[in-house]
């Protein structure tokens, strides 16, 4: 009989590519992970992983088992959801990881809605960028991620996750007031090819949006200044340190003294925000109410 706990470890190793990283994500020791993998290989009668200089990869037998693992773990999530629904389903804690603007725009309003409509649900919020929050969901560190689509992110049909679209918003160009395009009604990105740029660090999903938008305009942005805090990005632009693309909602409440904000000419770069849970968990009564509250906040 294959233990579901060992299947979870197998998926973590497949996701993180090393035993050490998988152990850290699961709050286990590397030796414990190795022991569980060895036990799983004994249970199945197949070698499931191969260790190399660059980490661990699954064997063909491991890949076969992993495809079933995603279905098995999703079904276990559904079983937990039905059991919770059979009980009261009225009280409990749901942990949500979200990037900062997402917290302000949808998570905090959802928390307020739940306080009124479902006071038994306690929402615990953690600040995390999308590239960090999705692995946190898969590793069961949080229940819900509010994340941004980015290059390399799990796709909407990923068998491990259920995606719930929330909202999409454009990026606007932010330039110093003395910039040559400050008086333009719209800013063509190609006209900024020779400018110094300010933007998020690589790994931040918004970094990918900015770089891809510039590549589509025919150039690589010369990113000289980096910050994941858009208030800092705007402040640097106000100091004439460069130009930037900033999500429209991130400009709300930001001091815009010294800068001009203009829409991008043509098709504006866009960030698409979604909520993600482990597949099957969307049926859990507490998580379902949180997802509904996030959706209502996004519609507003």
């Amino acid at each position: 009989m294959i233990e579901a706990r060992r299947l979870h470890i197998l998926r973590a190793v497949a996701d993180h590519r090393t035993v050490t990283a998988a152990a850290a994500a699961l709050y286990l020791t590397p030796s414990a992970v190795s022991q569980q993998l060895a036990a799983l290989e004994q249970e199945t009668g197949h070698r499931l992983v191969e260790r190399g200089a660059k980490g661990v990869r699954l064997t063909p037998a491991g890949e076969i088992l992993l495809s079933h693992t995603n279905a098995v773990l999703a079904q276990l999530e559904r079983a937990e959801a039905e059991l919770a629904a059979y009980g009261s389903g009225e009280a409990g804690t749901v942990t949500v990881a979200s990037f900062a603007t997402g917290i302000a725009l949808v998570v905090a309003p959802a928390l307020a809605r739940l306080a009124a409509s479902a006071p038994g649900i306690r929402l615990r919020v953690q600040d995390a960028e999308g590239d960090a929050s999705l692995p946190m969901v898969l590793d069961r560190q949080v229940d819900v991620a509010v994340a941004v689509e980015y290059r390399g992110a799990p796709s909407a049909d990923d068998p491990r996750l259920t995606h719930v679209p929330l909202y999409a918003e454009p990026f606007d160009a932010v330039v110093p007031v003395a910039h040559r395009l400050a008086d333009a009604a719209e800013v063509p990105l190609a006209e900024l090819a020779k400018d110094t740029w300010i933007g998020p660090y690589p790994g931040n999903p918004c970094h990918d949006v900015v770089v891809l938008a510039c590549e589509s305009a025919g150039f690589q942005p010369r990113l000289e200044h980096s910050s994941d805090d858009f208030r800092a990005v705007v402040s640097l632009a106000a100091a004439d340190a460069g130009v930037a693309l900033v999500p429209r909602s991130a400009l709300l409440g930001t001091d815009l003294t010294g800068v001009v904000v203009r829409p991008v000419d043509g098709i504006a770069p866009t960030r698409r925000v979604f909520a993600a849970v482990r597949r099957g968990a969307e049926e859990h009564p507490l998580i379902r109410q949180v997802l509904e509250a996030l959706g209502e906040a996004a519609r507003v």
Side-chain angles (χ1 to χ4, degrees):
M1 181 69 70
I2 298 175
E3 287 192 17
R5 177 169 57 100
R6 290 172 183 155
L7 293 178
H8 182 60
I9 289 173
L10 177 71
R11 188 164 79 177
V13 169
D15 287 343
H16 294 281
R17 305 294 184 183
T18 70
V19 168
T20 301
L26 298 173
Y27 299 102
L28 297 172
T29 64
S31 61
V33 169
S34 296
Q35 289 170 9
Q36 292 300 318
L37 287 175
L40 185 58
E41 289 180 329
Q42 287 184 341
E43 289 173 343
T44 61
H46 292 280
R47 187 179 182 186
L48 302 175
V49 297
E50 292 180 344
R51 292 169 173 80
K54 295 183 178 181
V56 176
R57 68 179 184 88
L58 299 188
T59 64
E63 293 287 356
I64 291 172
L65 184 57
L66 180 64
S67 68
H68 290 285
T69 292
N70 291 325
V72 168
L73 295 182
Q75 191 59 43
L76 287 175
E77 293 281 358
R78 294 187 185 98
E80 291 182 6
E82 288 189 20
L83 288 171
Y86 179 77
S88 67
E90 296 178 353
T93 299
V94 177
T95 305
V96 179
S98 171
F99 58 100
T101 309
I103 292 174
L105 206 61
V106 293
V107 177
L111 188 152
R113 288 172 182 272
L114 289 168
S117 64
I121 298 178
R122 177 174 175 260
L123 213 60
R124 190 156 57 89
V125 181
Q126 297 183 23
D127 188 336
E129 293 297 336
D131 58 323
S133 63
L134 294 175
M136 291 167 72
V137 168
L138 291 171
D139 292 333
R140 304 181 69 89
Q141 297 173 12
V142 300
D143 302 303
V144 182
V146 174
V148 177
E149 290 182 3
Y150 61 95
R151 185 163 38 188
S155 62
D157 61 356
D158 189 295
R160 302 169 298 172
L161 295 168
T162 293
H163 284 223
V164 179
L166 294 178
Y167 65 92
E169 64 172 327
F171 281 62
D172 289 324
V174 177
V175 301
V177 291
H179 193 272
R180 64 188 181 282
L181 296 177
D183 293 330
E186 296 181 331
V187 173
L189 283 185
E191 295 295 319
L192 301 177
K194 295 183 179 180
D195 284 79
T196 298
W197 279 74
I198 312 158
Y201 284 100
N204 185 315
C206 288
H207 174 89
D208 284 346
V209 175
V210 171
V211 171
L212 286 172
C214 293
E215 289 176 350
S216 297
F219 70 98
Q220 284 281 344
R222 184 160 54 90
L223 284 161
E224 190 165 317
H225 308 288
S226 299
S227 175
D228 288 335
D229 186 334
F230 286 114
R231 292 171 301 178
V233 170
V234 171
S235 294
L236 287 168
D240 204 18
V243 300
L245 288 174
V246 177
R248 189 164 291 171
S249 66
L251 295 169
L252 298 175
T254 300
D255 183 4
L256 301 178
T257 304
V259 299
V260 172
V261 178
R262 294 287 184 265
V264 173
D265 184 34
I267 300 175
T270 302
R271 72 170 172 182
R272 291 174 173 81
V273 179
F274 62 94
V277 300
R278 293 179 296 278
R279 189 171 292 272
E282 69 276 8
E283 299 176 20
H284 191 289
L286 299 182
I287 292 177
R288 183 176 64 247
Q289 291 184 74
V290 171
L291 292 175
E292 289 173 354
L294 290 169
E296 291 171 2
R299 285 190 290 274
V300 171

